[in-house]
Amino acid sequence: EFLTRFNEFWGPGNKLLVDSRMRAVICEKTNCLVAWRKAGPSGAVATTACAYLDPKLHAHQMEHCRKAAALKGEKLEDSLEFNYHQGSRKRYRRLTELTEKAAMGKPDIWDALAVVADHAVPYPDRVCLAGESKGSSERNPRENWSVTQHSAVISGPDRRALYRSVQSRSAPKPVYEYTPKLLLGPGVKMRPEWQADVDAGRCELASPPAALVD
């Protein structure tokens, strides 16, 4: 009812919904099917696009990938759609596992950034992509790249974000190799521990955009 009222239900897409008591649930949706996934033991949830962890929705997606490959006369191993969505599901599963592992401790904004910057396992399982392609460990400027990342505290007195992005399209390097920028929320004052990260070169202090200046 909530999704329909605000016109968010129609069409495919994965959504993260959080209520006023900070209880979260994931909505996974194709054009014609929907599934719900609750939080793990830690209470944390994570979602991403282009794949479904729900078995029924995943099977539906792969069935249509097979039909598309057949219509184009492709073998599955050569099908862009089939391989992309299979890889996306592996990254999705790793994203949820890393999120749950981090949330079982006392995660901070750096732990959140480490999850989205994950590149500790080979392609396609890794969360963060850097031009890797199927069957090759070499980077390819024409392949998929994670071009921007951020983690943020979006409520309370410590509102702030760490963010970074790929700075060159012609000679890209992995986004996780760039130094993150620290952006403080409106009215939030610098704290000694955050300043220590800046002084150590762990991040750079960013000037707030004009719209955020009090």
Side-chain angles (χ1 to χ4, degrees):
E1 180 185 352
F2 172 86
L3 293 171
T4 302
R5 188 193 322 156
F6 291 97
N7 201 32
E8 290 287 339
F9 189 75
W10 311 108
N14 296 340
K15 297 173 176 62
L16 188 158
L17 306 176
V18 186
D19 70 10
S20 59
R21 294 198 290 174
M22 300 304 290
R23 297 174 302 181
V25 67
I26 296 299
C27 170
E28 296 184 343
K29 191 176 185 307
T30 71
N31 277 323
C32 57
L33 298 173
V34 64
W36 301 92
R37 186 162 52 82
K38 295 183 179 180
S42 72
V45 294
T47 190
T48 187
C50 303
Y52 306 105
L53 291 187
D54 180 80
K56 183 177 180 180
L57 269 65
H58 173 65
H60 174 80
Q61 183 183 48
M62 290 299 99
E63 177 187 357
H64 284 271
C65 285
R66 292 185 180 91
K67 288 181 178 178
L71 287 171
K72 292 187 288 184
E74 294 177 335
K75 296 180 179 179
L76 284 182
E77 57 266 28
D78 299 324
S79 168
L80 177 63
E81 291 90 349
F82 184 86
N83 286 288
Y84 181 81
H85 291 306
Q86 289 280 53
S88 293
R89 193 169 194 251
K90 292 180 179 180
R91 290 189 290 277
Y92 189 176
R93 189 172 298 282
R94 181 163 174 82
L95 174 68
T96 62
E97 292 171 350
L98 292 175
T99 299
E100 182 67 17
K101 182 179 179 180
M104 293 297 283
K106 294 183 178 180
D108 60 18
I109 196 170
W110 287 99
D111 294 316
L113 188 66
V115 170
V116 296
D118 165 65
H119 55 281
V121 296
Y123 174 88
D125 298 64
R126 60 198 301 171
V127 175
C128 182
L129 302 182
E132 298 90 356
S133 59
K134 182 175 179 288
S136 174
S137 60
E138 297 180 358
R139 296 189 181 113
N140 184 335
R142 294 177 296 177
E143 294 294 342
N144 290 306
W145 287 77
S146 299
V147 297
T148 184
Q149 298 176 334
H150 76 274
S151 61
V153 177
I154 63 173
S155 62
D158 296 335
R159 298 187 313 280
R160 67 197 190 281
L162 292 170
Y163 69 94
R164 55 191 170 196
S165 60
V166 172
Q167 299 297 304
S168 172
R169 294 179 60 188
S170 58
K173 68 178 183 178
V175 65
Y176 50 78
E177 292 184 4
Y178 291 92
T179 301
K181 295 183 183 296
L182 171 65
L183 178 65
L184 302 182
V188 175
K189 304 300 182 183
M190 176 66 80
R191 297 200 173 191
E193 58 269 31
W194 306 343
Q195 185 63 55
D197 285 334
V198 175
D199 294 342
R202 194 179 185 190
C203 58
E204 301 171 356
L205 184 61
S207 299
L212 296 182
V213 177
D214 290 337

